Amino acid sequence: MADRDTSLLCHELLLRLAGRIPDESLWRYRDWLAGDAGDVMAVSLPKQLVRERIGLTDGDHRLLSEALLPMGADPAAVGAILPEEGTPRRRHTFTAAAPGDDKGDSTALVLGATLRGRPDVGEVRDSWRRDTTASSSEPEQRVILVNTGGNPVELAGEIQRILRALGNHTPMVEALPTNIDPPEYHERALTASNLICTGSGELVGSD
């Protein structure tokens, strides 16, 4: 079980890995972290980065070491992670336009009912992401972006559970703490996003 500071470091690390590791892995790591099973993530994530040859910047590698080594990550696996070479390729594009007819959007309705007016929530937005390396027939994926001054680990876990109950088995939920600058991936998603609702917490960004 991770303490709060370590959990927040892990959450920041997963934010920085969004769009770089498979979505299926990312949501599971967040679910484990929210469910006090961060030690499972600490063992699995470095091995996945090595196996899939996903490189990290020096700063991201330091963050990973600070977050995962105290939770039981294998130092040999952490040391074997490749350095990132050059500028990472942008695999994804974002648009605010929902595919098809979005009338009766149950996801937006449920998220609005759950998060509107919450004191730990700022803006709740969504963006539609396309993978430029995938087939043109591959559907766009919805990314939920939430500003929070509360616990982003718990909030991400809560929203993921809601989305899975609504039938989204690989939910993409980016809970963005107000005290850190969003990574470039999230900045692009926020630029091409729609407002779903607002809580009563500190807001970051506007329409």
Side-chain angles (χ1 to χ4, degrees):
M1 181 184 299
D3 61 31
R4 178 180 170 84
D5 289 343
T6 302
S7 291
L8 293 178
L9 287 175
C10 291
H11 181 81
E12 182 177 353
L13 173 65
L14 294 177
L15 286 176
R16 301 197 64 81
L17 291 174
R20 301 174 63 193
I21 62 175
D23 299 325
E24 175 70 21
S25 300
L26 185 62
W27 90 259
R28 287 190 182 279
Y29 290 144
R30 287 179 171 150
D31 188 58
W32 287 338
L33 189 60
D36 289 331
D39 53 335
V40 181
M41 181 193 76
V43 172
S44 300
L45 177 54
K47 293 178 180 179
Q48 180 177 15
L49 296 176
V50 173
R51 182 174 64 252
E52 299 181 10
R53 301 183 65 81
I54 299 172
L56 298 181
T57 65
D58 289 345
D60 286 348
H61 193 276
R62 283 194 299 272
L63 177 59
L64 180 142
S65 299
E66 292 173 8
L68 301 188
L69 286 175
M71 296 174 63
D74 180 359
V78 171
I81 296 171
L82 296 172
E84 185 175 80
E85 296 183 356
T87 302
R89 178 183 177 187
R90 289 183 175 179
R91 287 183 47 205
H92 304 102
T93 59
F94 297 91
T95 178
D101 185 356
D102 63 352
K103 292 182 179 179
D105 183 347
S106 60
T107 296
L109 290 172
V110 172
L111 290 180
T114 304
L115 301 175
R116 185 177 293 111
R118 283 261 296 257
D120 57 338
V121 171
E123 290 184 338
V124 182
R125 309 184 72 92
D126 68 352
S127 182
W128 293 89
R129 192 194 77 181
R130 177 170 291 282
D131 187 339
T132 59
T133 67
S135 164
S136 59
S137 63
E138 193 75 20
E140 293 174 335
Q141 302 295 317
R142 189 179 209 158
V143 180
I144 303 298
L145 305 127
V146 187
N147 299 135
T148 178
N151 188 324
V153 175
E154 294 178 355
L155 185 61
E158 176 188 353
I159 298 173
Q160 285 189 160
R161 290 190 293 274
I162 291 171
L163 296 183
R164 282 180 60 81
L166 292 172
N168 184 342
H169 298 298
T170 311
M172 288 186 277
V173 178
E174 304 299 324
L176 302 168
T178 56
N179 63 342
I180 68 170
D181 294 328
E184 186 261 357
Y185 171 92
H186 301 84
E187 287 182 342
R188 291 192 292 120
L190 287 166
T191 298
S193 66
N194 295 298
L195 182 67
I196 293 176
C197 68
T198 60
S200 62
E202 180 181 352
L203 300 182
V204 176
S206 60
D207 282 325

